[in-house]
Amino acid sequence: MNASDVFVIGGGIAGLSIAWRAASRGLTVTLADPDPGSQATRASAGMLAPVSEVTYTEEPLLRLGLASLERWPEFAAELEEKSGVPVDLRSDGTVEVAYDADDLAQLDELAAFEEKLGLRVERLTGRQCRQAEPMLSPNVRGGLLARDDLWVNPRRVTQALQKAFQNAGGKIVKEHVTTLDGIEADQIVVAAGAWTPSLLPGLPVRPVKGQILRLRGPRGFLQKCVRGRVRGSDVYLVPRDDGEIVVGATMEELGFDTRVTAGGVYELLRDARELVPGITELDLAETFAGLRPGTPDNLPYVGRHGDVWVAAGHHRAGVLLAPLTAEAVVACLHGEANPMPECDPSRLDTERI
Ligand code: GLY
């Protein structure tokens, strides 16, 4: 008899969600991570924003994002009920704003693309942007309102997931797993984010550094999630219920480098201040850098890989895709078809031909 039915390696939002859902469906689950929730999920702002984050040529990712977004309200409600931890799921809408004429031209193109895909976005004048979010600068030229995008506090989510998982009978071992050899379990799930290739060497997952800041202000300083383009650079400001504003994020291809740099902090504050000048009065509470697990086609790997299951490579969408990923892996663990076939690692074979 094996020690567990399932052994999950990695306690980020993907691994924890899978572990919780698997334990809730009656499996005996052990999860290993030296410090759950301490890497990419800790850095994440928690935007559940398939509409605002839509990118040309990435319609498959959009479809997955929309499917997972639909699952988030129920996932969050059940998680809060089973853990007693509020996860601060917000549905006040996202304003996407443009700073200069070129930024506005790009945003107009994006709006046309979103409309073509049938997504619900409203175009706003500069004045309407400020009516939607009064802290926006008078220099904001115009924007879009994405009413359906949500956001959540990922740090609360990982705290809640650990409790809910343990309440469902799951076991967390605070260990760093360096080899798959000798693991006593019927099935293994590798959800180790950017570190996944250290266990599964053929899988092309790479670290994409994101520097992020936390400011502390009065509650309600921002009403909405603000995403903006400032002279061609992207920045976002995500408010929490306790007055915290998360400002992010850089995108840097520097390997396993998690240094917070003066340049990274400067660029984020410079662009964020152009959109919301009042942030200069807030406390700079935290600087942090995390490593998004990137893949060559920006889709995650979810499915069978050799002798194990994998759920990694969620890049910019780990928090958004957590409910769908958990559902998919738990279906696979029960011998059902993979509901995320476009993410099956077997696509690597085709890529290599
Ligand atoms: N999804 C936001 C980011 O990766 O920065």
Side-chain angles (χ1 to χ4, degrees), residues 264-337:
V265 174
Y266 165 73
E267 281 168 28
L268 290 172
L269 286 178
R270 179 196 63 198
D271 294 344
R273 192 191 67 160
E274 294 288 20
L275 301 181
V276 182
I279 60 160
T280 51
E281 298 302 319
L282 308 184
D283 296 351
L284 175 58
E286 184 188 309
T287 60
F288 193 74
L291 299 172
R292 305 174 184 89
T295 65
D297 59 6
N298 287 343
L299 280 176
Y301 295 115
V302 179
R304 193 76 182 163
H305 186 65
D307 295 337
V308 302
W309 300 103
V310 64
H314 291 71
H315 197 217
R316 296 177 60 102
V319 179
L320 170 63
L321 295 178
L324 187 65
T325 301
E327 200 176 298
V329 174
V330 173
C332 292
L333 291 170
H334 283 90
E336 296 159 18

Side-chain angles (χ1 to χ4, degrees), residues 140-141 222:
V140 162
R141 294 282 186 120
L222 283 181

Side-chain angles (χ1 to χ4, degrees), residues 39-59:
Q39 301 291 340
T41 310
R42 184 166 177 77
S44 168
M47 287 173 296
L48 311 176
V51 177
S52 323
E53 286 210 337
V54 69
T55 308
Y56 304 105
T57 77
E58 289 188 358
E59 284 94 330

Side-chain angles (χ1 to χ4, degrees), residues 159-217:
Q159 210 188 326
L161 281 168
Q162 288 176 71
K163 284 210 170 154
F165 172 54
Q166 286 169 318
N167 289 344
K171 187 173 153 201
I172 297 180
V173 290
K174 299 211 168 166
E175 277 170 25
H176 179 50
V177 175
T178 53
T179 173
L180 301 176
D181 295 340
I183 294 176
E184 289 190 7
D186 292 334
Q187 311 201 64
I188 297 174
V189 181
V190 181
W195 291 267
T196 297
S198 67
L199 294 163
L200 303 176
L203 212 68
V205 178
R206 68 181 198 285
V208 181
K209 176 176 170 180
Q211 298 190 49
I212 198 147
L213 317 174
R214 280 171 167 77
L215 309 178
R216 190 154 294 283

Side-chain angles (χ1 to χ4, degrees), residues 103-117:
D103 299 325
L104 190 59
Q106 279 184 22
L107 205 63
D108 278 339
E109 265 183 45
L110 186 69
F113 178 62
E114 289 172 339
E115 282 159 1
K116 203 173 115 206
L117 295 173

